[in-house]
Amino acid sequence: MDIEAVIISLLREHHEVISGEELSREFNISRVAIWKHIENLRQIGYKIEAEAHRGYRFISAPDRVLAMEIRYGLKTRFIGHDIRAYEEVSSTNDIALDLARREAKEGTVVIAESQSSGRGRMGRSWFSPFGKGLWASIIFYPELLPNQLGRMNLVFGVALAEAIKKETSLPVELKWPNDVMVSGKKAGGILIEMSAEMDQVKYLVVGLGLNVNVPLSDFPKHLRESASSLSQEKGNSIDRLSLIREILRQIENYYLFFKEKGITPIREKWLVLSKTLGHYLKVELPARTIYGQAVDVDEEGALLLRTEHGLQERITAGDIYFIS
Ligand code: BTN
């Protein structure tokens, strides 16, 4: 851990003032060097009070997705042990895909305050304004056949929904394949990308986009009807740091649970969270639009639709709209 992360965690846990002298003894560096580190921390946005002749006192941490902030109090076995945090990137998925190609550790997290070319599913762009959302990607090396990728949609969808519910108490639902919905509006989504050979997934990047504290008026006009944010639905702003820690925790839990127990119990949870079954849907496929009733979501994450012509279609990619 770098020295500034240790200084800040010491100050944070020590509710009283810590003197410069004590810190300089602890780290075996001069008091001037300590003061320089404190100044650096202040530059990043930490509020640290200096009391004359007494020392330093922690006041607050910045609302920034800094690696050391996310790691603070994160009790995971492997996810987030390596966190790459940026102010702005093109897309966190691009960076994570590149890291995975170079065999970065499983569980490596890439996170940014904003993305200039955030990607959504079906070739759409993903609105990723600075400092108001969680735009993050995580690397996995699962033992999976390429055609089993849909399972991971179920695993990570459930994990994300459970984490948001736990942190915000909002009535989160999942909309197939994996939109995070609150009161019928989209507040987040998941984009899973992979590299695979014929019979084995080589690596997988799970991209999470969550509109946390985005005011409705910030959304581009074409999204204002259909999109929302957690703060908008909750009526107050939400602590992004404690939310991302909980998301990483739940993602690890469900990933390990999936490895141990398989997809069956996770699909059950997904079905409870999604409330998709039974509804009449308009389904936009990459090349056509069909209508029908959702009869099931199978263990590969595919949607089974009984069409208006009485046929059953198995859909692996598309967008759904509820008709009734
Ligand atoms: C969707 O279309 O619903 C999926 C949206 C996924 C967006 C996230 S933001 C972090 C990661 N980086 C990207 O470019 N996209 C994903």
Side-chain angles (χ1 to χ4, degrees):
M1 220 197 288
D2 80 72
I3 186 165
E4 280 161 20
V6 184
I7 292 181
I8 208 70
S9 67
L10 262 182
L11 287 175
R12 201 172 211 160
E13 271 143 32
H14 200 92
H15 298 291
E16 267 307 297
V17 173
I18 307 188
S19 71
E21 201 178 316
E22 222 177 310
L23 289 170
S24 89
R25 242 185 290 117
E26 178 79 31
F27 296 101
N28 204 15
I29 55 176
S30 70
R31 283 171 62 179
V32 174
I34 290 288
W35 174 81
K36 278 193 184 143
H37 285 304
I38 298 279
E39 277 309 297
N40 286 345
L41 287 162
R42 284 180 173 147
Q43 286 286 326
I44 308 172
Y46 285 93
K47 292 217 161 50
I48 302 163
E49 211 171 67
E51 287 187 20
H53 311 300
R54 292 200 59 213
Y56 303 104
R57 185 204 302 272
F58 174 86
I59 305 291
S60 63
D63 174 21
R64 285 284 164 265
V65 287
L66 304 169
M68 66 181 184
E69 268 308 299
I70 298 172
R71 230 176 271 124
Y72 182 75
L74 180 70
K75 290 188 190 74
T76 51
R77 283 200 236 162
F78 69 100
I79 292 192
H81 286 199
D82 184 351
I83 299 178
R84 317 282 174 106
Y86 302 89
E87 294 254 302
E88 176 165 295
V89 294
S90 54
S91 153
T92 55
N93 265 31
D94 285 345
I95 296 186
L97 285 167
D98 192 50
L99 285 169
R101 205 171 300 130
R102 293 187 277 121
E103 298 175 358
K105 273 198 308 196
E106 183 164 59
T108 297
V109 173
V110 179
I111 188 161
E113 294 292 0
S114 70
Q115 301 183 112
S116 53
S117 333
R119 284 199 295 282
R121 289 189 312 106
M122 314 266 286
R124 281 185 288 252
S125 67
W126 183 260
F127 177 60
S128 322
F130 190 94
K132 294 177 177 170
L134 288 173
W135 331 121
S137 305
I138 311 166
I139 298 172
F140 291 93
Y141 303 100
E143 278 181 25
L144 211 65
L145 298 172
N147 63 5
Q148 294 174 329
L149 191 67
R151 296 184 184 187
M152 303 318 285
N153 249 334
L154 303 180
V155 173
F156 297 122
V158 169
L160 184 57
E162 292 292 351
I164 302 169
K165 272 173 49 174
K166 188 143 187 271
E167 277 291 306
T168 66
S169 310
L170 281 166
V172 180
E173 288 181 14
L174 291 169
K175 185 173 139 213
W176 187 88
N178 236 339
D179 292 351
V180 173
M181 308 295 290
V182 187
S183 308
K185 297 201 165 196
K186 178 161 172 168
I190 298 179
L191 176 68
I192 302 181
E193 296 180 303
M194 66 161 177
S195 167
E197 282 163 359
M198 282 289 283
D199 55 353
Q200 173 68 40
V201 168
K202 283 206 297 189
Y203 53 82
L204 194 126
V205 162
V206 182
L208 314 168
L210 202 52
N211 307 327
V212 183
N213 293 322
V214 186
L216 210 51
S217 54
D218 280 15
F219 283 102
K221 271 212 179 76
H222 72 280
L223 292 178
R224 277 185 211 158
E225 286 279 296
S226 58
S228 189
S229 65
L230 302 181
S231 62
Q232 185 72 33
E233 299 305 318
K234 182 84 184 154
N236 53 258
S237 71
I238 282 147
D239 183 343
R240 289 188 305 151
L241 284 151
S242 95
L243 181 56
I244 186 68
R245 285 188 212 110
E246 184 59 23
I247 289 172
L248 298 181
R249 206 172 71 83
Q250 293 290 354
I251 282 189
E252 178 170 286
N253 280 349
Y254 277 99
Y255 182 66
L256 295 176
F257 184 63
F258 163 70
K259 282 190 22 174
E260 199 191 329
K261 302 270 189 228
I263 197 63
T264 308
I266 291 176
R267 171 178 164 271
E268 296 296 324
K269 282 183 185 290
W270 194 93
L271 290 175
V272 173
L273 282 162
S274 89
K275 300 185 184 156
T276 305
L277 302 192
H279 284 282
Y280 284 88
L281 309 173
K282 172 181 162 189
V283 185
E284 283 182 357
L285 304 174
R288 65 200 165 105
T289 298
I290 56 175
Y291 293 84
Q293 188 182 20
V295 286
D296 206 356
V297 168
D298 68 19
E299 294 200 340
E300 303 304 339
L303 173 67
L304 306 184
L305 194 78
R306 189 179 307 117
T307 68
E308 46 186 348
H309 311 296
L311 299 170
Q312 184 150 304
E313 296 235 18
R314 185 171 181 274
I315 298 155
T316 53
D319 281 319
I320 66 170
Y321 301 91
F322 289 99
I323 295 174
S324 64

